[in-house]
Amino acid sequence: AFGVLFNLRSELRTPTSNLGNFHTAYIEGSITIRDANGNRVDEIRLDRTKGVQLNSDAAIRLALSNAAETIEKSLGKTLAQRLR
């Protein structure tokens, strides 16, 4: 049996006159795999993923959606291989 822990951090940048009205959100973190005894087996890094929208909540949701897509398309395969 394995445990999988997602550790995500977010950063939100509010609009400035140079960027117009766009909010920019970044999500980064890691996926940690632990064995049945709680020992860390592996860790996969989730690189900084960006979302840009007119609303700050929408920017964070977009960044999370983009991060989930990255996990599904590439990191998920790596995770599955390492759990074997």
Side-chain angles (χ1 to χ4, degrees):
F2 290 94
V4 179
L5 173 67
F6 290 83
N7 181 13
L8 301 175
R9 292 172 297 286
S10 66
E11 174 186 340
L12 181 63
R13 295 191 181 166
T14 55
T16 63
S17 59
N18 296 339
L19 298 176
N21 293 325
F22 291 99
H23 294 261
T24 305
Y26 296 95
I27 302 289
E28 65 181 336
S30 62
I31 303 168
T32 303
I33 303 167
R34 296 191 180 275
D35 65 16
N37 295 322
N39 299 316
R40 191 176 99 180
V41 174
D42 205 347
E43 187 169 271
I44 302 167
R45 181 154 174 74
L46 175 62
D47 292 329
R48 196 170 169 168
T49 307
K50 182 165 109 173
V52 179
Q53 292 288 326
L54 291 172
N55 175 291
S56 61
D57 290 338
I60 291 173
R61 284 194 303 273
L62 180 59
L64 283 168
S65 177
N66 291 341
E69 187 175 324
T70 297
I71 292 168
E72 179 182 13
K73 288 186 175 181
S74 61
L75 296 181
K77 293 175 188 173
T78 302
L79 179 61
Q81 290 172 348
R82 294 181 183 177
L83 287 173
R84 291 185 186 166

